[in-house]
Amino acid sequence: MQKLEVFGAFKLKGQVRISGSKNASLPILAGSLLSNKKIVLKNLPKVKDIETMLSLLKSLGSKIKISDNQVTIDNSNQNKKFASYNLVKTMRAGILVLGPLLAKFGYAKVSLPGGCAIGTRPIDIHLKALSKLGVKFKIYNGYVIAKASKGLIGNTIKFPKLSVGATENLIIAACLAKGTTFLLNCAIEPEIKDLVNFLIKTGCKIKWVAKRKIKITGVSELKETNYSVMFDRIEAGTYLVAAAVTEGKIKIQNIKPDIINTELNILKKIGSKITIKKNEVQITGSKQIKSLKIKTAPYPGFPTDLQAQLMVLLCKANKNSIIQENIFENRFMHVAELNRMGAKILTRGNKAIIKGGINFAPAELMATDLRASVSLILAALTAKGKSVINRIYHLDRGYENIESKLRKVGAKIRRLN
């Protein structure tokens, strides 16, 4: 099993080019199933979750051609409706093929999803919403078996709570439904906006009629499309924190700074110096890090996917800080490993109380999920000496070339088999 060896502590300096967004690419790949015409996607990140989704599309009958900087998808003979456990077990986003398969064929059998063990993340919101479009379903042997014998029929659906996955699944499904669908109380993450922009380019009729309300008029077929996926805002945030925590100076390139306004304002508040240009941000870390009380929240709030990374930074603050995790109920699994490195973090329910003024000590560590993995790297970058991070397969699900990107800005990090 592979592991990472990290030698700290060095100030990171240089430039990092941010990859395409994993969390935008996955629903866009699922949405490509709606079309029988050629689709060319650019700026997909080279990460494990994307490989898994492409394998899932191939298993459903998509023809996929991968060249250096683009993926071409041909669904002209795509006719399978079964998404197996083997392909969905490692990746939550596998459930997103349910909507397009139902829209296209009126039938789908899709395994219940896997992914990081950070909370229950039930799919009941997806299923109840799809049932309002005329879907009948049962869960049997770990699979969702869903039918819409008369095809999908437009309706007005209000989500009981904000759900990124359910919003994406229903947007995709409603594109081929008969009539008009209104989706209310939608999640508005930038990745959802990117999915909508992609679908509009294929000929789908989608309109934001209010901040969290979408109108979708069903169409019968889509057209050929070329589309470039947005940047990965979580990867961008991770490298911003890497600069801040090592008192370094990094230019983050290939981004749209206004999308990560919340994160930039928080980093300014705790003492980092930030210069914003059109498609890049320069950050200079400060010796004096200010403490913070923060809650994770749906966009445009502070993202749960950056909570573990920010926690590492707050261990260096001048006073105690508090993070309240409001999205997932099991997302403090990195705390035990950070405490082994000398952190003093106490968890009470969904709150973490973080003692400031900590100098991390090197240690042998175990990654528990995707974002926890990268938080351990950030802590190791500040610890004098050698740290070893085990179980890094989580990391490869969401970060493209993380070692080489970090090495380019001065980190001493290598992968061991």
Side-chain angles (χ1 to χ4, degrees), residues 103-353:
K104 207 166 167 185
F105 303 113
Y107 176 85
K109 183 179 178 183
V110 178
S111 171
L112 292 168
C116 288
I118 55 173
T120 53
R121 305 206 274 189
I123 62 156
D124 57 336
I125 299 175
H126 300 236
L127 299 179
K128 281 175 187 166
L130 285 166
S131 69
K132 291 191 175 169
L133 297 180
V135 176
K136 293 203 166 20
F137 61 86
K138 63 179 179 179
I139 294 173
Y140 181 71
N141 280 357
Y143 282 87
V144 178
I145 301 165
K147 291 178 188 173
S149 48
K150 294 178 183 175
L152 300 184
I153 295 153
N155 202 345
T156 297
I157 298 161
K158 185 175 182 181
F159 296 110
K161 64 177 188 175
L162 298 179
S163 166
V164 171
T167 300
E168 290 166 342
N169 229 337
L170 269 291
I171 289 170
I172 297 167
C175 285
L176 297 186
K178 295 183 190 86
T180 301
T181 300
F182 286 95
L183 301 177
L184 286 67
N185 200 30
C186 297
I188 56 166
E189 270 61 12
E191 296 78 13
I192 292 171
K193 301 271 176 89
D194 209 37
L195 168 67
V196 167
N197 291 342
F198 161 73
L199 290 169
I200 289 170
K201 211 171 173 201
T202 67
C204 296
K205 292 184 178 173
I206 308 170
K207 191 178 180 186
W208 293 88
V209 290
K211 186 182 176 183
R212 295 193 181 272
K213 184 178 179 182
I214 303 174
K215 178 186 177 184
I216 303 167
T217 307
V219 297
S220 55
E221 63 172 353
L222 307 183
K223 58 190 181 191
E224 279 194 14
T225 316
N226 261 294
Y227 193 77
S228 186
V229 174
M230 70 173 281
F231 78 99
D232 195 309
R233 65 191 170 103
I234 305 303
E235 188 195 21
T238 300
Y239 286 107
L240 287 165
V241 173
V245 82
T246 63
E247 296 171 29
K249 186 176 182 178
I250 293 181
K251 263 186 196 164
I252 309 288
Q253 298 173 315
N254 194 36
I255 66 166
K256 287 188 178 170
D258 58 326
I259 286 176
I260 53 169
N261 243 334
T262 299
E263 295 89 318
L264 292 174
N265 287 334
I266 283 164
L267 287 165
K268 279 182 198 168
K269 198 186 268 187
I270 62 175
S272 296
K273 189 182 170 196
I274 287 176
T275 309
I276 297 170
K277 292 186 180 171
K278 190 183 174 188
N279 293 315
E280 70 175 40
V281 167
Q282 183 171 287
I283 177 167
T284 306
S286 168
K287 274 187 166 64
Q288 300 297 314
I289 295 166
K290 292 171 189 160
S291 62
L292 202 62
K293 284 184 184 173
I294 195 163
K295 300 174 181 181
T296 63
Y299 193 83
F302 186 78
T304 179
D305 278 356
L306 278 174
Q307 176 256 107
Q309 297 91 309
L310 185 70
M311 191 179 285
V312 173
L313 184 55
L314 292 177
C315 287
K316 301 260 174 200
N318 55 354
K319 293 179 193 162
N320 290 4
S321 298
I322 295 172
I323 295 180
Q324 186 172 312
E325 173 54 64
N326 291 331
I327 308 296
F328 295 124
E329 73 276 12
N330 198 19
R331 205 158 204 182
F332 287 145
M333 292 194 290
H334 48 282
V335 167
E337 295 299 285
L338 292 177
N339 283 345
R340 289 183 63 246
M341 298 180 76
K344 290 186 168 60
I345 305 163
L346 184 67
T347 57
R348 286 186 187 146
N350 69 335
K351 282 186 184 172
I353 298 135

Side-chain angles (χ1 to χ4, degrees), residues 330-402:
N330 198 19
R331 205 158 204 182
F332 287 145
M333 292 194 290
H334 48 282
V335 167
E337 295 299 285
L338 292 177
N339 283 345
R340 289 183 63 246
M341 298 180 76
K344 290 186 168 60
I345 305 163
L346 184 67
T347 57
R348 286 186 187 146
N350 69 335
K351 282 186 184 172
I353 298 135
I354 304 144
K355 185 174 166 50
I358 296 298
N359 289 318
F360 287 108
E364 181 130 7
L365 303 158
M366 189 73 73
T368 50
D369 63 71
L370 171 53
R371 306 306 171 186
S373 308
V374 86
S375 75
L376 301 182
I377 292 177
L378 295 176
L381 287 171
T382 76
K384 282 181 184 168
K386 181 176 85 170
S387 295
V388 177
I389 301 162
N390 294 285
R391 280 215 314 219
I392 56 165
Y393 57 85
H394 291 292
L395 198 66
D396 295 332
R397 286 186 44 228
Y399 287 93
E400 180 179 331
N401 298 332
I402 189 162

